[in-house]
Amino acid sequence: MTTMADTETPPEAVARATAGRFTRLHDFGIVLTVVVIVVALSLTTQTFMTTGNLVNLLDQAAVIGLLACAATLVIISGAFDLSITAVLAVSAIVAVVVTTHAGVPAGMAAGVVTGGVLGAVNGLVVITVKVHSFIATLALSIMYRGLAVILTAGAIVYPDESRVRAFQALGWPTVLGGITAASLLFLLVAAVCWVVLSRTTFGRRIYSVGGNEEAARLSGIRIGAVRVAVFAISGVCAALAGLILASRGGSAQASMATGMELTAIAAAVVGGTSVLGGEGAIWRGLIGVLLITLIGNGFNLLGWDTIYQQVVQGALILGAVSFDRLLRGRRS
């Protein structure tokens, strides 16, 4: 005979079920918002659904998308990386300088390696000095920007004239409907990050470290190694974003992408990555990127003042963080 006590749900299970409903509600809400914006722009403009605009939309999302992949991985691991755009700038400058002396392939490779090394340095500083990653990467960002100024002497650097065209190959359209090589690179990197985070042991360790560092340590996970690896991956993503920007302009400078790290973090948070770590997904970050890119594209197509675009983005970030706090409160 089944009694009422036998059918009662434990409080922990109730909390998990409630949190699950809130998460699904958030996912539904963010996807629905994207759909509504797409429909609205399709009805109010004649150019939104054209091939040219859609290709341009994807191209616009490439740089911020790569940075958002980096931000998503780092935030899920329980940290922040405010140095990604400074790493971007240094990597792009190194790529241009090396290209001038050793050719485009060597320059691109040098840029990516530079990003990975600087990212690993970030991780080592965070785990060694034990300063909060927000402060540590802010300080490192200032240092990297200073390094970029030193490398360029405060000027814009260009690849050798004979190599400019090859250096700009990432901006070329491909046979796939005119989609640029930069967009394809972004989609490839996003897919790899998605698989790593959701289908590998390393990905599960990232969630564990971000969700409960002490429990992860007791279970035998090497916290420091995971953090350094995540920051190194973040640096590589930032370097690839820098190569795209440098390729588009055929040059690099110390002030490249200043402030874009906040937009990348915003995209990750708006998409559903918890600022407290341990929760999130690459696809959610990409939805956040799409939403922010759509808002910018819509303001341009409709001719609206871009000042209000910042207000809308700020409101989205505030709403996402508030929802995350509400969700955490339901779980506790």
Side-chain angles (χ1 to χ4, degrees):
M1 179 176 178
T2 303
T3 64
M4 182 176 295
D6 295 328
T7 59
E8 287 180 348
T9 306
E12 295 81 3
V14 173
R16 284 195 298 269
T18 302
R21 286 195 294 270
F22 269 76
T23 300
R24 289 192 294 272
L25 178 62
H26 174 274
D27 292 345
F28 175 77
I30 194 72
V31 172
L32 179 62
T33 301
V34 169
V35 171
V36 169
I37 293 177
V38 169
V39 172
L41 291 177
S42 300
L43 295 176
T44 56
T45 67
Q46 297 180 341
T47 55
F48 177 75
M49 290 303 293
T50 60
T51 300
N53 185 65
L54 294 178
V55 169
N56 180 57
L57 192 67
L58 181 58
D59 200 42
Q60 289 175 359
V63 172
I64 192 63
L66 286 168
L67 296 179
C69 286
T72 299
L73 289 170
V74 174
I75 293 173
I76 291 175
S77 74
F80 284 94
D81 188 356
L82 296 183
S83 72
I84 49 177
T85 54
V87 172
L88 177 156
V90 175
S91 301
I93 290 168
V94 169
V96 171
V97 172
V98 174
T99 292
T100 298
H101 295 89
V104 175
M108 296 291 185
V112 173
V113 170
T114 299
V117 170
L118 294 180
V121 169
N122 289 344
L124 289 171
V125 169
V126 169
I127 67 172
T128 302
V129 182
K130 299 189 183 303
V131 176
H132 193 284
S133 58
F134 188 95
I135 302 300
T137 57
L138 176 61
L140 287 165
S141 175
I142 297 171
M143 292 173 61
Y144 294 156
R145 288 287 181 187
L147 175 61
V149 172
I150 292 172
L151 290 175
T152 61
I156 301 175
V157 292
Y158 302 88
D160 185 81
E161 187 174 346
S162 62
R163 292 169 171 150
V164 170
R165 179 169 173 76
F167 185 76
Q168 294 181 303
L170 287 176
W172 295 350
T174 66
V175 295
L176 301 176
I179 297 175
T180 64
S183 297
L184 295 178
L185 176 62
F186 155 55
L187 295 175
L188 175 62
V189 172
V192 171
C193 290
W194 191 340
V195 171
V196 168
L197 191 59
S198 62
R199 294 287 186 269
T200 67
T201 300
F202 177 64
R204 290 190 292 273
R205 288 175 178 172
I206 294 175
Y207 281 108
S208 298
V209 170
N212 190 325
E213 184 174 323
E214 184 59 26
R217 180 180 290 107
L218 292 175
S219 66
I221 296 175
R222 298 173 61 187
I223 306 297
V226 171
R227 282 264 163 78
V228 172
V230 169
F231 273 101
I233 294 172
S234 174
V236 169
C237 290
L240 293 173
L243 293 180
I244 291 175
L245 282 180
S247 178
R248 287 175 180 172
S251 63
Q253 56 183 317
S255 61
M256 290 175 70
T258 300
M260 198 175 286
E261 67 277 7
L262 299 180
T263 305
I265 293 173
V269 172
V270 167
T273 299
S274 173
V275 293
L276 299 180
E279 294 180 19
I282 293 296
W283 75 265
R284 289 192 174 102
L286 296 181
I287 291 294
V289 170
L290 178 59
L291 179 59
I292 290 177
T293 306
L294 280 172
I295 291 173
N297 187 247
F299 269 78
N300 290 333
L301 293 179
L302 295 171
W304 292 352
D305 194 332
T306 55
I307 293 178
Y308 298 104
Q309 179 182 337
Q310 299 176 12
V311 175
V312 173
Q313 289 181 354
L316 284 172
I317 298 169
L318 180 60
V321 173
S322 300
F323 185 88
D324 179 58
R325 294 296 301 177
L326 176 62
L327 181 59
R328 292 276 180 166
R330 290 280 181 174
R331 290 182 175 178
S332 59

Short mmCIF file of all heavy atoms in Angstrom, two decimals, residues 182-228:
data_model
loop_
_atom_site.label_atom_id
_atom_site.label_comp_id
_atom_site.label_asym_id
_atom_site.label_seq_id
_atom_site.Cartn_x
_atom_site.Cartn_y
_atom_site.Cartn_z
N ALA A 182 36.13 33.97 -43.38
CA ALA A 182 36.10 34.31 -41.95
C ALA A 182 34.86 33.72 -41.28
O ALA A 182 34.93 33.20 -40.16
CB ALA A 182 36.10 35.83 -41.79
N SER A 183 33.72 33.79 -41.97
CA SER A 183 32.48 33.22 -41.42
C SER A 183 32.59 31.71 -41.28
O SER A 183 32.15 31.14 -40.27
CB SER A 183 31.30 33.58 -42.32
OG SER A 183 31.10 34.98 -42.38
N LEU A 184 33.19 31.06 -42.26
CA LEU A 184 33.36 29.61 -42.19
C LEU A 184 34.31 29.23 -41.05
O LEU A 184 34.10 28.24 -40.35
CB LEU A 184 33.89 29.08 -43.52
CG LEU A 184 32.95 29.22 -44.72
CD1 LEU A 184 33.62 28.70 -45.99
CD2 LEU A 184 31.64 28.48 -44.48
N LEU A 185 35.36 30.04 -40.85
CA LEU A 185 36.28 29.80 -39.75
C LEU A 185 35.55 29.92 -38.42
O LEU A 185 35.74 29.07 -37.52
CB LEU A 185 37.43 30.80 -39.80
CG LEU A 185 38.44 30.75 -38.65
CD1 LEU A 185 39.14 29.39 -38.60
CD2 LEU A 185 39.46 31.88 -38.78
N PHE A 186 34.73 30.93 -38.28
CA PHE A 186 33.94 31.12 -37.06
C PHE A 186 33.04 29.92 -36.80
O PHE A 186 32.99 29.39 -35.68
CB PHE A 186 33.13 32.40 -37.18
CG PHE A 186 31.89 32.45 -36.33
CD1 PHE A 186 31.97 32.22 -34.96
CD2 PHE A 186 30.65 32.72 -36.89
CE1 PHE A 186 30.82 32.26 -34.16
CE2 PHE A 186 29.51 32.75 -36.11
CZ PHE A 186 29.59 32.52 -34.74
N LEU A 187 32.32 29.46 -37.82
CA LEU A 187 31.42 28.32 -37.65
C LEU A 187 32.18 27.05 -37.28
O LEU A 187 31.72 26.25 -36.46
CB LEU A 187 30.61 28.10 -38.93
CG LEU A 187 29.63 29.23 -39.31
CD1 LEU A 187 28.98 28.94 -40.66
CD2 LEU A 187 28.57 29.41 -38.22
N LEU A 188 33.35 26.86 -37.88
CA LEU A 188 34.17 25.69 -37.58
C LEU A 188 34.64 25.71 -36.13
O LEU A 188 34.55 24.70 -35.40
CB LEU A 188 35.37 25.63 -38.52
CG LEU A 188 36.39 24.51 -38.25
CD1 LEU A 188 35.74 23.15 -38.39
CD2 LEU A 188 37.58 24.64 -39.19
N VAL A 189 35.16 26.86 -35.69
CA VAL A 189 35.66 26.97 -34.31
C VAL A 189 34.51 26.80 -33.32
O VAL A 189 34.67 26.13 -32.29
CB VAL A 189 36.35 28.33 -34.10
CG1 VAL A 189 36.70 28.54 -32.63
CG2 VAL A 189 37.61 28.42 -34.96
N ALA A 190 33.36 27.39 -33.62
CA ALA A 190 32.20 27.25 -32.73
C ALA A 190 31.78 25.79 -32.62
O ALA A 190 31.45 25.30 -31.53
CB ALA A 190 31.04 28.10 -33.25
N ALA A 191 31.81 25.06 -33.74
CA ALA A 191 31.45 23.64 -33.72
C ALA A 191 32.43 22.83 -32.88
O ALA A 191 32.03 21.95 -32.10
CB ALA A 191 31.40 23.10 -35.15
N VAL A 192 33.72 23.13 -33.03
CA VAL A 192 34.74 22.42 -32.25
C VAL A 192 34.55 22.69 -30.75
O VAL A 192 34.59 21.77 -29.93
CB VAL A 192 36.15 22.83 -32.69
CG1 VAL A 192 37.20 22.27 -31.74
CG2 VAL A 192 36.42 22.35 -34.11
N CYS A 193 34.34 23.96 -30.39
CA CYS A 193 34.13 24.31 -28.98
C CYS A 193 32.88 23.63 -28.43
O CYS A 193 32.86 23.17 -27.27
CB CYS A 193 34.02 25.83 -28.83
SG CYS A 193 35.55 26.74 -29.11
N TRP A 194 31.85 23.56 -29.25
CA TRP A 194 30.60 22.92 -28.86
C TRP A 194 30.84 21.44 -28.53
O TRP A 194 30.41 20.94 -27.48
CB TRP A 194 29.59 23.07 -29.99
CG TRP A 194 28.18 22.70 -29.66
CD1 TRP A 194 27.74 21.91 -28.64
CD2 TRP A 194 27.01 23.14 -30.34
NE1 TRP A 194 26.38 21.81 -28.65
CE2 TRP A 194 25.91 22.55 -29.70
CE3 TRP A 194 26.80 23.95 -31.46
CZ2 TRP A 194 24.59 22.76 -30.13
CZ3 TRP A 194 25.48 24.16 -31.88
CH2 TRP A 194 24.40 23.57 -31.22
N VAL A 195 31.54 20.76 -29.42
CA VAL A 195 31.83 19.34 -29.21
C VAL A 195 32.71 19.13 -27.98
O VAL A 195 32.45 18.24 -27.15
CB VAL A 195 32.50 18.73 -30.47
CG1 VAL A 195 33.00 17.32 -30.18
CG2 VAL A 195 31.52 18.71 -31.63
N VAL A 196 33.75 19.95 -27.85
CA VAL A 196 34.66 19.81 -26.71
C VAL A 196 33.92 19.99 -25.39
O VAL A 196 34.11 19.23 -24.42
CB VAL A 196 35.81 20.84 -26.81
CG1 VAL A 196 36.58 20.91 -25.50
CG2 VAL A 196 36.74 20.47 -27.95
N LEU A 197 33.03 20.98 -25.34
CA LEU A 197 32.34 21.29 -24.09
C LEU A 197 31.26 20.27 -23.75
O LEU A 197 31.05 19.95 -22.58
CB LEU A 197 31.73 22.69 -24.18
CG LEU A 197 31.18 23.29 -22.88
CD1 LEU A 197 32.28 23.39 -21.82
CD2 LEU A 197 30.58 24.67 -23.14
N SER A 198 30.58 19.77 -24.75
CA SER A 198 29.42 18.91 -24.49
C SER A 198 29.66 17.43 -24.67
O SER A 198 28.84 16.60 -24.24
CB SER A 198 28.26 19.33 -25.41
OG SER A 198 28.61 19.16 -26.78
N ARG A 199 30.80 17.03 -25.28
CA ARG A 199 30.98 15.63 -25.62
C ARG A 199 32.29 15.03 -25.12
O ARG A 199 32.60 13.89 -25.46
CB ARG A 199 30.89 15.44 -27.15
CG ARG A 199 29.53 15.73 -27.75
CD ARG A 199 28.53 14.64 -27.40
NE ARG A 199 27.26 14.85 -28.08
CZ ARG A 199 26.26 15.54 -27.57
NH1 ARG A 199 26.38 16.10 -26.37
NH2 ARG A 199 25.13 15.68 -28.23
N THR A 200 33.07 15.78 -24.37
CA THR A 200 34.37 15.26 -23.94
C THR A 200 34.51 15.29 -22.42
O THR A 200 33.79 16.04 -21.73
CB THR A 200 35.53 16.07 -24.55
OG1 THR A 200 35.52 17.40 -23.99
CG2 THR A 200 35.41 16.16 -26.06
N THR A 201 35.43 14.50 -21.92
CA THR A 201 35.74 14.50 -20.49
C THR A 201 36.24 15.87 -20.04
O THR A 201 35.90 16.35 -18.96
CB THR A 201 36.80 13.43 -20.17
OG1 THR A 201 36.29 12.15 -20.56
CG2 THR A 201 37.13 13.42 -18.69
N PHE A 202 37.07 16.50 -20.89
CA PHE A 202 37.57 17.82 -20.57
C PHE A 202 36.42 18.81 -20.40
O PHE A 202 36.44 19.65 -19.48
CB PHE A 202 38.51 18.30 -21.67
CG PHE A 202 39.02 19.70 -21.47
CD1 PHE A 202 39.83 20.02 -20.39
CD2 PHE A 202 38.68 20.71 -22.36
CE1 PHE A 202 40.31 21.30 -20.20
CE2 PHE A 202 39.15 22.00 -22.18
CZ PHE A 202 39.96 22.30 -21.10
N GLY A 203 35.41 18.72 -21.26
CA GLY A 203 34.25 19.59 -21.14
C GLY A 203 33.51 19.40 -19.83
O GLY A 203 33.11 20.37 -19.16
N ARG A 204 33.35 18.13 -19.42
CA ARG A 204 32.69 17.85 -18.14
C ARG A 204 33.51 18.41 -16.97
O ARG A 204 32.95 18.86 -15.97
CB ARG A 204 32.47 16.35 -17.98
CG ARG A 204 31.41 15.79 -18.93
CD ARG A 204 31.04 14.36 -18.58
NE ARG A 204 32.13 13.42 -18.83
CZ ARG A 204 32.34 12.83 -20.00
NH1 ARG A 204 31.55 13.09 -21.03
NH2 ARG A 204 33.34 11.97 -20.15
N ARG A 205 34.82 18.38 -17.11
CA ARG A 205 35.67 18.93 -16.05
C ARG A 205 35.53 20.45 -15.97
O ARG A 205 35.60 21.03 -14.88
CB ARG A 205 37.13 18.55 -16.31
CG ARG A 205 37.40 17.07 -16.05
CD ARG A 205 38.81 16.67 -16.40
NE ARG A 205 39.04 15.26 -16.09
CZ ARG A 205 40.12 14.58 -16.42
NH1 ARG A 205 41.09 15.20 -17.10
NH2 ARG A 205 40.25 13.32 -16.10
N ILE A 206 35.34 21.10 -17.10
CA ILE A 206 35.12 22.56 -17.09
C ILE A 206 33.87 22.89 -16.29
O ILE A 206 33.87 23.81 -15.45
CB ILE A 206 35.00 23.09 -18.53
CG1 ILE A 206 36.34 22.95 -19.27
CG2 ILE A 206 34.55 24.56 -18.52
CD1 ILE A 206 36.27 23.35 -20.73
N TYR A 207 32.78 22.14 -16.54
CA TYR A 207 31.55 22.35 -15.79
C TYR A 207 31.77 22.08 -14.30
O TYR A 207 31.26 22.83 -13.45
CB TYR A 207 30.44 21.43 -16.31
CG TYR A 207 29.78 21.91 -17.58
CD1 TYR A 207 30.02 21.27 -18.79
CD2 TYR A 207 28.91 23.00 -17.57
CE1 TYR A 207 29.41 21.70 -19.96
CE2 TYR A 207 28.30 23.43 -18.74
CZ TYR A 207 28.55 22.78 -19.92
OH TYR A 207 27.94 23.21 -21.09
N SER A 208 32.50 21.03 -13.99
CA SER A 208 32.73 20.67 -12.58
C SER A 208 33.51 21.75 -11.85
O SER A 208 33.17 22.14 -10.72
CB SER A 208 33.48 19.34 -12.50
OG SER A 208 32.73 18.28 -13.06
N VAL A 209 34.56 22.24 -12.49
CA VAL A 209 35.39 23.28 -11.87
C VAL A 209 34.57 24.55 -11.65
O VAL A 209 34.67 25.20 -10.60
CB VAL A 209 36.62 23.57 -12.74
CG1 VAL A 209 37.36 24.81 -12.24
CG2 VAL A 209 37.57 22.38 -12.75
N GLY A 210 33.77 24.92 -12.63
CA GLY A 210 32.97 26.13 -12.49
C GLY A 210 31.81 25.98 -11.53
O GLY A 210 31.42 26.95 -10.86
N GLY A 211 31.26 24.77 -11.45
CA GLY A 211 30.09 24.56 -10.60
C GLY A 211 30.45 24.44 -9.13
O GLY A 211 29.78 25.03 -8.26
N ASN A 212 31.50 23.70 -8.82
CA ASN A 212 31.92 23.52 -7.43
C ASN A 212 33.39 23.15 -7.42
O ASN A 212 33.74 21.98 -7.58
CB ASN A 212 31.08 22.44 -6.74
CG ASN A 212 31.29 22.39 -5.24
OD1 ASN A 212 32.39 22.61 -4.75
ND2 ASN A 212 30.23 22.10 -4.50
N GLU A 213 34.23 24.14 -7.25
CA GLU A 213 35.67 23.92 -7.36
C GLU A 213 36.19 22.94 -6.31
O GLU A 213 37.02 22.08 -6.62
CB GLU A 213 36.40 25.26 -7.23
CG GLU A 213 37.90 25.16 -7.42
CD GLU A 213 38.57 26.51 -7.44
OE1 GLU A 213 37.97 27.46 -7.98
OE2 GLU A 213 39.69 26.63 -6.90
N GLU A 214 35.69 23.05 -5.09
CA GLU A 214 36.17 22.18 -4.03
C GLU A 214 35.77 20.73 -4.29
O GLU A 214 36.58 19.81 -4.11
CB GLU A 214 35.60 22.63 -2.68
CG GLU A 214 36.11 21.85 -1.49
CD GLU A 214 37.62 21.91 -1.34
OE1 GLU A 214 38.24 22.90 -1.80
OE2 GLU A 214 38.20 20.96 -0.77
N ALA A 215 34.53 20.52 -4.74
CA ALA A 215 34.10 19.16 -5.06
C ALA A 215 34.90 18.59 -6.22
O ALA A 215 35.25 17.40 -6.23
CB ALA A 215 32.60 19.16 -5.40
N ALA A 216 35.21 19.44 -7.20
CA ALA A 216 36.02 19.00 -8.33
C ALA A 216 37.42 18.59 -7.87
O ALA A 216 37.96 17.58 -8.33
CB ALA A 216 36.11 20.11 -9.38
N ARG A 217 37.99 19.35 -6.96
CA ARG A 217 39.33 19.04 -6.44
C ARG A 217 39.32 17.71 -5.68
O ARG A 217 40.22 16.87 -5.84
CB ARG A 217 39.81 20.16 -5.52
CG ARG A 217 41.21 19.91 -4.94
CD ARG A 217 41.66 21.04 -4.04
NE ARG A 217 41.94 22.26 -4.80
CZ ARG A 217 41.17 23.33 -4.80
NH1 ARG A 217 40.06 23.34 -4.08
NH2 ARG A 217 41.47 24.39 -5.52
N LEU A 218 38.28 17.51 -4.88
CA LEU A 218 38.18 16.27 -4.10
C LEU A 218 37.96 15.05 -4.99
O LEU A 218 38.31 13.93 -4.61
CB LEU A 218 37.04 16.39 -3.09
CG LEU A 218 37.26 17.41 -1.95
CD1 LEU A 218 36.02 17.52 -1.09
CD2 LEU A 218 38.48 17.03 -1.12
N SER A 219 37.38 15.28 -6.17
CA SER A 219 37.15 14.17 -7.09
C SER A 219 38.38 13.85 -7.95
O SER A 219 38.33 12.98 -8.81
CB SER A 219 35.95 14.47 -7.99
OG SER A 219 36.22 15.57 -8.85
N GLY A 220 39.46 14.59 -7.74
CA GLY A 220 40.70 14.31 -8.44
C GLY A 220 40.97 15.15 -9.67
O GLY A 220 41.96 14.92 -10.37
N ILE A 221 40.13 16.13 -9.94
CA ILE A 221 40.34 17.00 -11.10
C ILE A 221 41.43 18.02 -10.80
O ILE A 221 41.44 18.64 -9.74
CB ILE A 221 39.02 17.72 -11.48
CG1 ILE A 221 37.97 16.71 -11.93
CG2 ILE A 221 39.27 18.75 -12.59
CD1 ILE A 221 36.62 17.32 -12.21
N ARG A 222 42.35 18.18 -11.72
CA ARG A 222 43.43 19.15 -11.56
C ARG A 222 42.91 20.54 -11.95
O ARG A 222 42.87 20.91 -13.12
CB ARG A 222 44.63 18.75 -12.40
CG ARG A 222 45.23 17.40 -11.99
CD ARG A 222 46.31 16.97 -12.95
NE ARG A 222 47.42 17.91 -12.98
CZ ARG A 222 48.43 17.84 -13.84
NH1 ARG A 222 48.46 16.88 -14.76
NH2 ARG A 222 49.41 18.73 -13.80
N ILE A 223 42.49 21.28 -10.95
CA ILE A 223 41.83 22.57 -11.17
C ILE A 223 42.72 23.51 -11.98
O ILE A 223 42.28 24.13 -12.95
CB ILE A 223 41.47 23.23 -9.82
CG1 ILE A 223 40.65 22.28 -8.95
CG2 ILE A 223 40.72 24.54 -10.06
CD1 ILE A 223 39.35 21.91 -9.53
N GLY A 224 43.99 23.62 -11.58
CA GLY A 224 44.90 24.54 -12.26
C GLY A 224 45.08 24.20 -13.72
O GLY A 224 45.06 25.10 -14.58
N ALA A 225 45.24 22.92 -14.04
CA ALA A 225 45.44 22.51 -15.43
C ALA A 225 44.22 22.84 -16.28
O ALA A 225 44.34 23.30 -17.43
CB ALA A 225 45.74 21.01 -15.49
N VAL A 226 43.03 22.61 -15.72
CA VAL A 226 41.80 22.91 -16.46
C VAL A 226 41.70 24.40 -16.72
O VAL A 226 41.38 24.83 -17.84
CB VAL A 226 40.56 22.41 -15.68
CG1 VAL A 226 39.27 22.91 -16.34
CG2 VAL A 226 40.56 20.89 -15.60
N ARG A 227 41.99 25.21 -15.70
CA ARG A 227 41.89 26.66 -15.85
C ARG A 227 42.89 27.17 -16.90
O ARG A 227 42.53 28.00 -17.75
CB ARG A 227 42.15 27.34 -14.50
CG ARG A 227 40.97 27.29 -13.54
CD ARG A 227 40.15 28.57 -13.63
NE ARG A 227 38.84 28.38 -13.05
CZ ARG A 227 38.58 28.37 -11.74
NH1 ARG A 227 39.55 28.54 -10.88
NH2 ARG A 227 37.34 28.22 -11.32
N VAL A 228 44.11 26.71 -16.83
CA VAL A 228 45.12 27.15 -17.80
C VAL A 228 44.70 26.75 -19.22
O VAL A 228 44.83 27.55 -20.16
CB VAL A 228 46.50 26.56 -17.46
CG1 VAL A 228 47.50 26.85 -18.58
CG2 VAL A 228 47.02 27.14 -16.15
#
